[in-house]
Amino acid sequence: MNNDPLILAISILFGAIVGSFLNVVILRLPEENGSVVFPPSHCPRCKTSLSWFENIPLLSYLVLRGRCRHCHNPISLQYPAVEVLMSVLTAAIVYRFGLSVTAAGYFLFCAALLVIIWIDIHHQIIPDVISLPGIGLGFCFSFFNSFVSWQDSLIGLLAGGGILYAIALLYYLLRKQEGMGGGDIKLLAMIGAFLGWQSLPFVIFMSSITGSLIGLLAMIPQQKGGNTRIPFGPFLSCSALAYLFFRKDILRLFLLYFQ
Ligand SMILES: [Zn+2]
């Protein structure tokens, strides 16, 4: 644990800078031949390249009052949102785990989840280039991780991938259509690798409940019946984040319930 105000302030700044890089990844990763370094940052509407002072995390958005300086089109709220979220997550990780290898590993985990959440919302895919290396990284990291042992990580990775695969197969056999994408399976394997198998009951329980609720709400205006597709990745990711920061309370509640 680290509650030094200076260290936390630096974490917030660092998180905002990384968040603005994540915005570029979210925008360009799903593009074919998308490069995250070239071309330099530009307005997605009028394509004008941004000068350095239009590219400062959060501040630029506030100073420009959410509009492009050239074409005056609104700038997506996603940009400041990702920057704020990454700032808060970075500070929370440093506060919780101090300046440690464990903190560094979970910093990468949170960054990966944020990218997955937004790409899944926009494109209904979870990119393999994030989830597959994430599975390997989560397992390697477990050898240096004070939060999860490598045995728990290995079981988590196998069970996470296996459980969802079984559910997806069952759903396919019953309804003859794909209910859950392969991307969700790889994402849960990555979550199991980073958080250990103990996280899986909560992550699956919480994401199914919140996912079904939001799914039902989304169906009301469309009147389409049971086939509205909503991406499941954001629910898995948010449940994983909740577990990362509230593990003790969550496990205590689970034990109370099952006793
Ligand atoms: Zn513009």
Side-chain angles (χ1 to χ4, degrees):
M1 202 178 127
N2 190 321
N3 51 12
D4 181 339
L6 181 67
I7 304 256
L8 291 180
I10 294 171
S11 313
I12 288 175
L13 267 178
F14 182 66
I17 294 167
V18 172
S20 84
F21 171 71
L22 296 182
N23 274 318
V24 178
V25 176
I26 291 164
L27 193 69
R28 299 194 191 168
L29 193 68
E31 290 173 7
E32 236 173 282
N33 310 318
S35 157
V36 292
V37 280
F38 192 83
S41 298
H42 54 267
C43 165
R45 307 242 189 172
C46 67
K47 311 287 180 218
T48 312
S49 288
L50 301 182
S51 38
W52 65 268
F53 63 88
E54 293 168 285
N55 216 354
I56 305 167
L58 286 176
L59 272 184
S60 298
Y61 186 87
L62 293 174
V63 170
L64 297 169
R65 292 206 199 86
R67 286 180 184 277
C68 169
R69 202 166 64 94
H70 307 280
C71 64
H72 303 287
N73 274 310
I75 303 168
S76 164
L77 206 67
Q78 176 202 310
Y79 294 92
V82 170
E83 286 158 5
V84 168
L85 284 170
M86 198 59 210
S87 290
V88 172
L89 287 170
T90 307
I93 288 167
V94 171
Y95 179 79
R96 172 81 175 71
F97 300 104
L99 295 172
S100 61
V101 183
T102 304
Y106 284 124
F107 173 76
L108 292 175
F109 181 58
C110 288
L113 291 182
L114 275 189
V115 170
I116 286 173
I117 289 172
W118 257 274
I119 291 186
D120 202 10
I121 290 175
H122 288 311
H123 305 277
Q124 277 78 51
I125 50 157
I126 296 173
D128 282 350
V129 285
I130 295 179
S131 58
L132 290 181
I135 296 172
L137 187 74
F139 180 60
C140 295
F141 162 58
S142 69
F143 290 92
F144 312 94
N145 184 348
S146 59
F147 189 67
V148 170
S149 73
W150 71 264
Q151 292 92 338
D152 292 346
S153 167
L154 183 64
I155 300 172
L157 174 180
L158 296 172
I163 293 170
L164 269 199
Y165 183 74
I167 296 175
L169 190 68
L170 192 72
Y171 190 89
Y172 180 77
L173 292 174
L174 290 175
R175 307 227 5 207
K176 298 277 177 260
Q177 65 180 40
E178 252 181 81
M180 198 154 349
D184 296 322
I185 296 172
K186 289 167 228 164
L187 172 59
L188 194 66
M190 174 179 130
I191 291 172
F194 269 96
L195 298 179
W197 64 269
Q198 294 90 337
S199 68
L200 296 174
F202 170 76
V203 170
I204 293 171
F205 176 75
M206 197 63 196
S207 56
S208 323
I209 290 205
T210 47
S212 326
L213 268 175
I214 305 280
L216 282 174
L217 289 177
M219 251 187 263
I220 295 167
Q222 299 182 347
Q223 309 271 323
K224 263 200 292 193
N227 286 326
T228 316
R229 294 270 331 227
I230 54 157
F232 195 49
F235 298 102
L236 288 170
S237 305
C238 292
S239 308
L241 288 174
Y243 183 86
L244 174 61
F245 294 108
F246 304 105
R247 174 170 75 168
K248 258 193 213 146
D249 306 290
I250 288 168
L251 290 180
R252 200 184 303 138
L253 279 176
F254 258 68
L255 283 177
L256 275 180
Y257 186 77
F258 287 109
Q259 254 167 13

